[in-house]
Amino acid sequence: MLKQTEAARNLDQMGERILDSMDLERERGITIRAKNASIVYNGVKINIVDTPGHADFGGEVERTLRMADGVLLLVDAKEGPMPQTKFVLRKALELGLNAIVVVNKIDKPDADPDEAVNKTFDLFSHLQATHEQHDFPIVYTNAVTGTATLDLDHPGTDLKPLFETILKNVPAPAVNVNEPLQILVLALANDPYKGKMGIGKISSGKITKGQNIAEIKVDGTIVKGKVTDIMIYEGLKQVAVESAEAGEIVSVAGLSGIAIGETIADADNPKQLPPVEVDQPTVQMTFGVNTSPFSGKEGKLVTSRQIRERLMKELETNVALRVEDMESGEAFLVSGRGELHLAVLIEQMRREGFEMQVSQPQVIMHEKDGKKFEPFELVTIDVPGEYQGAIIEECGVRKGNLLSIDHTPTGELHMEYDMPTRGVIGLKAALMTKVRGTAIVNHIFNKYEPFNAELIRANTHGSLIAFENGQSTGYALDTAQERGTLFIGPGVEVYTGQVVGQSARDEDIEINVAKEKKLSNMRSKASDAAILLAPPRDMTLELALEYIGPDELVEVTPKSVRLRKRILDANERKRAQKS
């Protein structure tokens, strides 16, 4: 769309994922932050907002959709609607937005566009869409060649059918130019010269550079200010303008304390818009100062003050996040919409030079009418057919309710479960070994259900724990690998209390991974070359968060992700268990 409307000159040099501006987005292939852009077709300006699809970044979706007047629902012609599609479509339908269904990748060998449309219609019905929302237009596209068509029997040559469908079916913004100024701030930007800027759609009135305005906070407090700069989106860039009218998406500078959910209004007649409502967090964990023996060796930002400042800064833009100070002053209780939501924040912080330790994710229960409710998630698993029994067994233990099971064209099984979030935590790590890493697992928040006191088996794994400081050796690891699966290879610095592997039994085993072979006149170190070590399991940040138990922590630094016991000393651990 951007290329065919010539939104920018050098689009071909920008790579494949132009709007994925963050390193994490490019690496993971997902959208984390909402992005703005615009195109002009036949003299009509179309503002585009790219939202994340995953429920863990629902805070971005909920506030960003308030700018939209319609949505393009992108569906894979082979796979149909993905789990993430359900979440973002539900939010769009709740706001009364109509959708244009775009069936993409129709050139795939196994593509079945008609089946994809049928599944999409079923999804609309499941989400209780109105009759008008059910009557959605369908456009078939091939993004690689940049073509679109309304009829599969007549292939397209460009995206003209898509642009025409947008102009025909997406209404112009419902605004009033003659009313006093109102802008609901739905995003923030920081400019080194202009300061903090509030981004939102002008709901009514007109804004002009130098105009006196009022900032209406969520609690109704009014702060007066003056517009120092106005910017609008042209293609992928922001361009400064002298004024803008209702319906345009603008960035406004001049209010240093502006925050998401506040209203920019006319100074003489300030009227507040309803603030954006965001679903409550479902998972929490503690972020604390790193207390391991390696503290301060790899990170520059290690103090509680620095960690707190960074978390408070994140709260300005990450509206679904919650941060509370803990009594110790050395740790903070951070709540988010899911494991991925918090894992992405941790990954961003470590890349910025932070060093900290985080705890096992815990599910947040909700009280309503004196009853306790817990979050449930929709879990989808794609796995080769021979592992069907292993999946059903593991999900059954975690109180998952099997909703459907289908055979895909490639011969794999597609399984859908309704499962408590308590059961989802640790699921990927548990399936890693049972299905030899062949399962593709997706899960998104679905609903709240009454809390079931029936026990879900806790993450009862045993760990291999180093009981001596030093550098791991092949000789010691050769013996250790007989006790379980290792997380480290030879030549790695370890400390007492560090988790270096998963025990084959459901109990912790202390091992010495730094032991060296003693030299004698009969043996030499050269004989170590005959040792064959199994490749260690690569514990990424997300796998580490799923693996750890209640008495373990993940140590995160810019260079390393280590697992450790909360209490490093073995004797103190035993005393704590007895007490």
Side-chain angles (χ1 to χ4, degrees):
M1 292 171 72
L2 290 164
K3 285 179 179 177
Q4 292 192 18
T5 55
E6 298 179 349
R9 293 182 180 179
N10 60 337
L11 279 173
D12 291 324
Q13 285 78 47
M14 291 185 181
E16 292 182 352
R17 293 188 290 273
I18 296 170
L19 289 179
D20 288 347
S21 54
M22 296 168 57
D23 290 339
L24 272 175
E25 290 179 322
R26 293 179 182 273
E27 290 168 17
R28 293 169 180 256
I30 60 174
T31 303
I32 296 172
R33 291 271 189 261
K35 317 289 192 316
N36 290 71
S38 74
I39 57 176
V40 176
Y41 178 75
N42 283 356
V44 179
K45 183 176 183 180
I46 304 171
N47 278 306
I48 300 171
V49 188
D50 178 30
T51 74
H54 204 287
D56 278 29
F57 310 111
E60 295 282 314
V61 176
E62 288 151 345
R63 62 182 173 82
T64 304
L65 281 175
R66 291 282 292 270
M67 298 187 204
D69 299 295
V71 294
L72 294 182
L73 186 71
L74 206 58
V75 178
D76 192 296
K78 174 185 173 183
E79 298 168 341
M82 300 298 285
Q84 300 92 310
T85 311
K86 182 177 181 180
F87 169 78
V88 72
L89 179 60
R90 180 199 292 150
K91 293 298 179 184
L93 295 177
E94 285 174 356
L95 288 171
L97 301 177
N98 291 333
I100 298 170
V101 174
V102 181
V103 182
N104 191 33
K105 302 181 182 178
I106 57 174
D107 58 318
K108 276 189 173 182
D110 301 326
D112 190 347
D114 292 336
E115 181 62 21
V117 171
N118 289 337
K119 288 181 178 178
T120 305
F121 189 87
D122 291 343
L123 179 59
F124 273 73
S125 300
H126 178 71
L127 296 176
Q128 300 178 336
T130 64
H131 291 295
E132 185 183 345
Q133 289 171 331
H134 266 105
D135 190 22
F136 50 79
I138 305 165
V139 183
Y140 302 96
T141 63
N142 180 354
V144 174
T145 57
T147 58
T149 180
L150 303 180
D151 185 353
L152 286 169
D153 295 328
H154 299 87
T157 56
D158 55 22
L159 291 181
K160 185 177 179 182
L162 176 61
F163 292 130
E164 295 290 348
T165 305
I166 292 172
L167 294 185
K168 181 181 177 183
N169 292 277
V170 178
V175 294
N176 193 333
V177 182
N178 300 318
E179 291 289 320
L181 172 68
Q182 284 182 308
I183 304 172
L184 180 62
V185 177
L186 297 166
L188 297 176
N190 283 298
D191 188 284
Y193 304 105
K194 298 168 184 173
K196 188 184 287 187
M197 304 183 76
I199 302 172
K201 184 171 75 174
I202 305 176
S203 300
S204 61
K206 180 180 179 181
I207 190 167
T208 309
K209 194 172 180 180
Q211 176 182 344
N212 291 323
I213 51 174
E215 170 195 347
I216 308 176
K217 297 187 178 293
V218 177
D219 61 3
T221 309
I222 296 177
V223 179
K224 295 294 179 72
K226 180 180 283 189
V227 178
T228 57
D229 203 87
I230 306 169
M231 301 187 82
I232 63 171
Y233 290 90
E234 286 190 4
L236 295 169
K237 295 181 179 179
Q238 282 190 303
V239 179
V241 293
E242 290 298 314
S243 64
E245 291 191 349
E248 183 65 89
I249 294 175
V250 293
S251 297
V252 180
L255 299 167
S256 59
I258 195 71
I260 290 172
E262 297 180 352
T263 303
I264 298 175
D266 184 73
D268 299 325
N269 189 7
K271 293 182 179 179
Q272 187 175 17
L273 289 167
V276 62
E277 293 183 8
V278 176
D279 288 347
Q280 293 302 306
T282 59
V283 172
Q284 63 187 19
M285 61 172 68
T286 59
F287 287 39
V289 175
N290 185 15
T291 57
S292 87
F294 294 169
S295 174
K297 289 186 176 181
E298 297 176 354
K300 296 178 182 177
L301 305 168
V302 298
T303 66
S304 59
R305 178 184 61 81
Q306 290 168 326
I307 294 172
R308 187 181 190 280
E309 285 178 357
R310 175 63 180 83
L311 290 174
M312 293 302 155
K313 183 182 177 184
E314 184 70 20
L315 284 177
E316 294 180 4
T317 55
N318 202 335
V319 293
L321 199 72
R322 303 284 184 273
V323 179
E324 299 173 39
D325 292 314
M326 299 185 74
E327 290 181 6
S328 65
E330 296 291 303
F332 310 93
L333 186 64
V334 183
S335 307
R337 292 284 284 274
E339 282 180 275
L340 183 60
H341 183 202
L342 297 176
V344 165
L345 171 59
I346 296 167
E347 183 65 34
Q348 286 177 310
M349 290 178 67
R350 70 180 286 227
R351 293 185 182 202
E352 293 166 14
F354 283 88
E355 193 175 289
M356 57 192 169
Q357 59 190 31
V358 296
S359 70
Q360 179 190 40
Q362 299 289 336
V363 172
I364 301 174
M365 302 294 176
H366 281 208
E367 293 275 345
K368 187 178 180 182
D369 299 330
K371 294 183 179 179
K372 189 184 285 188
F373 288 77
E374 66 175 323
F376 273 64
E377 304 200 17
L378 179 67
V379 182
T380 62
I381 304 172
D382 292 286
V383 68
E386 62 263 30
Y387 297 116
Q388 178 178 345
I391 298 290
I392 291 175
E393 179 189 9
E394 185 62 37
C395 293
V397 168
R398 295 168 179 270
K399 305 303 175 190
N401 178 30
L402 181 61
L403 301 176
S404 66
I405 180 167
D406 299 307
H407 289 271
T408 65
T410 56
E412 291 190 333
L413 290 176
H414 177 79
M415 310 169 79
E416 290 193 4
Y417 278 91
D418 185 34
M419 188 181 297
T421 302
R422 287 184 295 155
V424 174
I425 293 174
L427 178 63
K428 289 182 184 177
L431 294 180
M432 181 69 70
T433 51
K434 290 196 172 186
V435 300
R436 301 179 185 273
T438 55
I440 299 173
V441 182
N442 282 297
H443 57 91
I444 66 164
F445 171 75
N446 189 23
K447 58 188 174 182
Y448 279 97
E449 290 282 336
F451 174 70
N452 187 353
E454 190 177 350
L455 180 68
I456 291 179
R457 187 182 70 185
N459 191 5
T460 54
H461 62 263
S463 295
L464 301 178
I465 308 164
F467 70 74
E468 191 173 276
N469 297 340
Q471 191 177 81
S472 60
T473 65
Y475 173 68
L477 294 177
D478 186 37
T479 305
Q481 68 181 357
E482 297 174 5
R483 303 287 190 94
T485 305
L486 294 172
F487 300 157
I488 63 169
V492 177
E493 290 289 337
V494 298
Y495 55 81
T496 304
Q498 182 176 335
V499 175
V500 295
Q502 181 174 354
S503 172
R505 301 180 180 180
D506 289 340
E507 59 184 28
D508 293 340
I509 302 175
E510 293 182 30
I511 56 174
N512 186 355
V513 293
K515 182 170 63 176
E516 295 186 2
K517 180 183 284 188
K518 300 299 180 184
L519 294 177
S520 70
N521 59 346
M522 296 297 291
R523 295 175 179 167
S524 69
K525 277 191 176 181
S527 62
D528 281 352
I531 292 174
L532 294 176
L533 295 176
R537 186 192 299 177
D538 182 21
M539 294 301 284
T540 61
L541 177 59
E542 285 174 64
L543 277 178
L545 291 175
E546 285 208 341
Y547 172 83
I548 57 172
D551 64 335
E552 294 170 338
L553 298 168
V554 179
E555 177 189 349
V556 183
T557 75
K559 296 180 180 178
S560 311
V561 174
R562 301 185 187 93
L563 289 78
R564 51 161 288 185
K565 288 292 182 181
R566 280 182 185 270
I567 303 173
L568 297 178
D569 184 80
N571 294 325
E572 288 185 21
R573 263 200 315 274
K574 289 172 185 173
R575 280 196 290 269
Q577 286 172 355
K578 287 179 182 178
S579 62

